[in-house]
Amino acid sequence: MAHETATVSEVRRERYARRLPTDLSALRGPGGGRVRLPLHLAWSGLTEYDLDRPRLRMSCYRTVLAEGGHDDLVRYLDRDLLVEMWPVLRTLVSKDLRVIWESAFRELTPAG
């Protein structure tokens, strides 16, 4: 009897895909100011981010994208900031995460 096993990449991509918003307009997080992420997101480091500082904003978005569930994504990410930062942010996230987000949202693809 043959047994198919999903690759680690396939499992990750399925997990990321399940969390996606239906549309980027659903991302209604703050556009600036200070944000404190809960421990289930920021479990290994910094928990407070100043979104007005580009490096901290990038770090916050990277953390939320990698660790957050659907509700976290819509609560902490802002559509306009995500689209603006994506050309750099896409190089800082895993290939699996990047593929899922770019496949789901045309405005995030490099040719956008």
Side-chain angles (χ1 to χ4, degrees):
M1 174 199 252
H3 184 268
E4 248 184 80
T5 303
T7 67
V8 171
S9 183
E10 290 168 335
V11 170
R12 267 196 223 119
R13 288 180 187 199
E14 184 178 319
R15 185 182 76 144
Y16 291 139
R18 282 194 313 262
R19 313 177 305 153
L20 290 174
T22 54
D23 188 80
L24 287 183
S25 65
L27 303 178
R28 305 220 179 221
R34 292 195 172 283
V35 171
R36 180 178 294 275
L37 297 180
L39 288 177
H40 74 273
L41 294 177
W43 51 268
S44 69
L46 192 61
T47 59
E48 189 169 310
Y49 298 85
D50 182 350
L51 298 182
D52 297 324
R53 296 181 59 193
R55 283 183 178 213
L56 289 175
R57 181 174 55 238
M58 194 74 66
S59 179
C60 179
Y61 272 58
R62 184 177 177 201
T63 298
V64 173
L65 285 166
E67 303 296 335
H70 176 271
D71 292 345
D72 299 312
L73 297 172
V74 300
R75 179 177 180 185
Y76 294 107
L77 302 182
D78 173 81
R79 182 230 174 261
D80 294 337
L81 284 178
L82 179 67
V83 171
E84 175 187 318
M85 294 186 321
W86 191 255
V88 173
L89 188 58
R90 71 185 300 276
T91 68
L92 302 174
V93 298
S94 72
K95 179 181 179 183
D96 295 326
L97 193 146
R98 181 175 64 250
V99 165
I100 290 301
W101 278 78
E102 290 179 353
S103 295
F105 306 113
R106 183 178 188 93
E107 58 265 55
L108 296 181
T109 59

